[in-house]
């Protein structure tokens, strides 16, 4: 069975996303769908957090409808013990993305930051270079990933956590 895993790394200004395919041919990353959703500029005072969340949710839904994923992953770094993040507006966006994804009718996996890194890399903390190194060894097309924006790498890592959850990779 072929899996198309779409994952999001949420942010109120920019939200990274990535698409990874897995099947009999191995694992392929799709750089055409590994980008940033550009949210409204952070300095736009007329936009409320809810409006920002709605905007990014609508943009995420467009991507979901276009790529037709078989599963969706979302990074949730709001509960890392950092009170500032817990009290920020990120939980609103994470929950909004979860509901948009759930409404699409495919399995949705929400991973805390350390949880997806533990599942993907075997360690609870990793930087972007470690994620790039791991993914580069696991995909059949590592050169296709060379120019991905920095903020997209966490979404790629979340894709791998979903694939592990589905038993598609070890």
């Amino acid at each position: 069975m072929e899996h198309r895993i779409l994952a999001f790394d949420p942010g109120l200004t920019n939200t990274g996303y990535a698409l990874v395919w897995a099947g009999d041919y191995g694992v392929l990353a799709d750089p055409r769908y590994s980008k940033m959703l550009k949210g409204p500029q952070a300095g736009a005072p007329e936009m409320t957090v809810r409006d920002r969340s709605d905007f990014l949710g609508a943009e995420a839904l467009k991507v979901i409808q276009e790529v037709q994923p078989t599963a969706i992953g979302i990074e949730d770094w709001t509960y890392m013990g950092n009170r500032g993040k817990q009290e920020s507006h990120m939980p609103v966006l994470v929950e909004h993305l979860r509901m948009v994804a759930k409404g699409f009718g495919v399995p949705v996996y929400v991973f805390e930051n350390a949880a997806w890194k533990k599942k993907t890399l075997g360690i609870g903390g990793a930087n972007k270079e470690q994620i790039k190194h791991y993914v580069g060894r696991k995909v059949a097309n590592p050169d296709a990933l060379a120019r991905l924006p920095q903020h997209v790498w966490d979404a790629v890592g979340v894709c791998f956590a979903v694939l592990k959850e589905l038993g598609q990779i070890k």
Side-chain angles (χ1 to χ4, degrees):
M1 175 181 185
E2 180 176 87
H3 292 277
R4 288 181 314 283
I5 310 302
L6 179 64
F8 294 95
D9 177 11
L12 284 173
T13 302
N14 297 307
T15 292
Y17 65 95
L19 178 66
V20 172
W21 300 71
D24 295 339
Y25 46 79
V27 178
L28 298 171
D30 193 334
R32 296 171 302 165
Y33 296 106
S34 298
K35 301 178 183 177
M36 298 291 288
L37 295 174
K38 297 290 185 187
Q41 291 303 309
E46 66 279 357
M47 281 206 101
T48 66
V49 171
R50 176 53 67 193
D51 289 342
R52 252 177 233 294
S53 179
D54 288 347
F55 177 87
L56 286 166
E59 293 299 303
L61 181 59
K62 288 177 192 173
V63 174
I64 292 168
Q65 290 171 331
E66 186 173 342
V67 303
Q68 299 287 306
T70 57
I72 297 172
I74 301 170
E75 179 183 31
D76 180 2
W77 51 267
T78 60
Y79 299 102
M80 292 174 37
N82 182 323
R83 187 177 177 99
K85 289 180 181 177
Q86 291 172 7
E87 293 175 355
S88 76
H89 302 296
M90 285 306 297
V92 172
L93 178 57
V94 170
E95 184 60 15
H96 190 100
L97 281 174
R98 189 184 72 75
M99 294 306 292
V100 165
K102 195 168 180 79
F104 190 70
V106 299
V108 178
Y109 300 86
V110 179
F111 297 99
E112 291 178 9
N113 181 283
W116 76 256
K117 289 178 179 177
K118 181 92 168 154
K119 187 169 282 295
T120 299
L121 302 165
I123 56 176
N127 62 36
K128 303 285 190 264
E129 292 305 314
Q130 290 168 312
I131 297 165
K132 287 179 187 181
H133 178 75
Y134 173 84
V135 170
R137 291 185 11 243
K138 295 289 185 180
V139 296
N141 61 336
D143 293 340
L145 301 175
R147 293 186 183 94
L148 289 183
Q150 276 295 100
H151 294 296
V152 173
W153 282 100
D154 283 356
V156 173
V158 172
C159 286
F160 275 82
V162 172
L163 286 173
K164 283 198 173 184
E165 195 75 23
L166 295 170
Q168 294 300 301
I169 56 174
K170 293 182 179 191

